[in-house]
Amino acid sequence: MKRVLTIQDISCLGKCSLTIALPVISAMGVETVILPTAVLSTHTMFKNFTVKDLSDQIEPIKNHWLSENVEFDAIYTGYLGTAEQIDQMKELFRDFRKDGSFVFVDPVMADNGKLYPAFDMDYVKKNAELCAEADIIVPNITEAAFMTGMEYREEYDESYIKEMLGKLNELGAKISVLTGVSLSPGKTGVMGYDREADDYYIYQNDRIDASYHGTGDLFSSSCVGAMLRGKTWQEAMQIAADYTAYTISETLKNPAKPWYGVDFEATLPELINKL
Ligand code: PXL
């Protein structure tokens, strides 16, 4: 069985980051080791959330694993709390990289043209540096605009996305994937560029007019899980995009109308069937 290390916060209530990555990747048949960067009472879309930063735990936990000779087939980072933690991640990648493993960075920090409440431009710069250390990065258009210095646009065409992928590629990762890319009316999906193969990949499915917190984490987690189950990055993107869209559409049918997260628990069998 493959083993992944995922490093993100625990938002106790709210279904995002580790409360998505751990159940989803485990259910996909991949051993999922977690390193929590902070504990929050809820994700940051709730008011008055509490935060306990766990930066001081990263080094001792890492050193314990090194002394136990633990190895990982992949490392996947999501929402990190502080710019200092990003420096800690760079070191951790170097400590645990091995032949055949990959580093997957989702530079979670912004959406819809805006940075999340906890972040500033220093954090953006650090995230761009972290992307340089990755094999595969999956920013949304907002995050990519911040990291590349390109203008954020809601209306765009393929040439804007290609230019953005070119600038992301210059950051240094082998594969750059933009998420939330809509290349025709009523559609949404991803567009990626693989530098070694000099190859673009586009996958679009029907756009569902609803936005939920944690769907980016659902996409990244299912993508990492699929890659570790032997899928190519392109196959993994398709599986993850379909699973995320299906989960949003199922959540919309829930009469309780959850606002803070999607009902991914109900759709996991669909994901597992795709492996
Ligand atoms: O889904 C990304 C995410 C993860 N963790 C926390 C968040 C967010 C998005 O806002 O607030 C704490």
Side-chain angles (χ1 to χ4, degrees):
M1 187 184 287
K2 298 279 187 182
R3 180 189 295 136
V4 61
L5 166 62
T6 182
I7 309 159
Q8 323 190 24
D9 70 281
I10 294 186
S11 290
C12 299
L13 169 72
K15 298 202 258 189
C16 67
S17 39
L18 282 185
T19 60
I20 285 194
L22 178 57
V24 170
I25 306 176
S26 297
M28 295 175 86
V30 174
E31 181 184 344
T32 309
V33 177
I34 60 166
L35 180 47
T37 54
V39 181
L40 290 82
S41 52
T42 61
H43 60 52
T44 60
M45 298 297 123
F46 283 82
K47 291 200 184 84
N48 305 322
F49 59 88
T50 68
V51 191
K52 170 75 179 166
D53 180 77
L54 297 176
S55 299
D56 66 352
Q57 294 303 300
I58 291 174
E59 191 75 8
I61 291 174
K62 183 188 81 171
N63 288 338
H64 182 208
W65 290 338
L66 286 171
S67 76
E68 294 284 333
N69 299 316
V70 180
E71 294 190 340
F72 302 107
D73 299 295
I75 302 172
Y76 155 37
T77 64
Y79 186 107
L80 303 167
T82 60
E84 297 72 53
Q85 276 183 354
I86 295 186
D87 288 330
Q88 291 177 304
M89 290 309 110
K90 288 196 253 170
E91 228 179 90
L92 187 142
F93 292 172
R94 284 177 205 140
D95 288 333
F96 287 107
R97 250 186 200 288
K98 61 165 188 165
D99 278 353
S101 70
F102 65 87
V103 171
F104 185 107
V105 170
D106 185 354
V108 180
M109 61 180 159
D111 206 359
N112 302 314
K114 290 201 196 90
L115 286 172
Y116 291 145
F119 303 132
D120 57 16
M121 285 312 288
D122 183 42
Y123 193 79
V124 170
K125 197 169 144 260
K126 288 282 179 193
N127 248 328
E129 289 171 21
L130 191 66
C131 286
E133 308 276 326
D135 296 291
I136 178 161
I137 58 172
V138 291
N140 60 35
I141 295 175
T142 305
E143 288 154 351
F146 275 111
M147 289 193 294
T148 60
M150 274 180 70
E151 180 197 359
Y152 169 74
R153 287 202 213 144
E154 301 208 334
E155 307 272 318
Y156 50 79
D157 56 14
E158 197 176 310
S159 67
Y160 170 78
I161 298 297
K162 273 194 162 167
E163 186 184 344
M164 202 169 241
L165 284 172
K167 289 200 179 343
L168 283 176
N169 176 49
E170 284 166 20
L171 294 181
K174 290 195 194 101
I175 299 169
S176 303
V177 178
L178 274 167
T179 62
V181 171
S182 171
L183 291 173
S184 51
K187 298 280 176 189
T188 190
V190 300
M191 182 164 175
Y193 177 68
D194 181 335
R195 184 177 47 236
E196 277 167 14
D198 187 24
D199 197 21
Y200 287 96
Y201 172 73
I202 298 178
Y203 183 69
Q204 299 273 285
N205 53 18
D206 289 341
R207 184 191 186 90
I208 305 159
D209 222 4
S211 111
Y212 282 103
H213 217 63
T215 49
D217 303 329
L218 195 63
F219 173 84
S220 291
S221 300
S222 47
C223 190
V224 167
M227 287 174 71
L228 285 167
R229 290 297 308 272
K231 305 292 180 192
T232 64
W233 71 268
Q234 294 95 331
E235 289 165 343
M237 292 293 149
Q238 177 171 347
I239 289 171
D242 287 345
Y243 174 58
T244 306
Y246 175 64
T247 303
I248 295 171
S249 68
E250 287 298 294
T251 305
L252 283 171
K253 294 182 197 156
N254 180 340
K257 303 234 172 302
W259 69 269
Y260 59 75
V262 283
D263 293 343
F264 74 90
E265 302 87 340
T267 54
L268 278 173
E270 190 73 17
L271 174 64
I272 289 151
N273 278 339
K274 294 273 166 57
L275 295 174

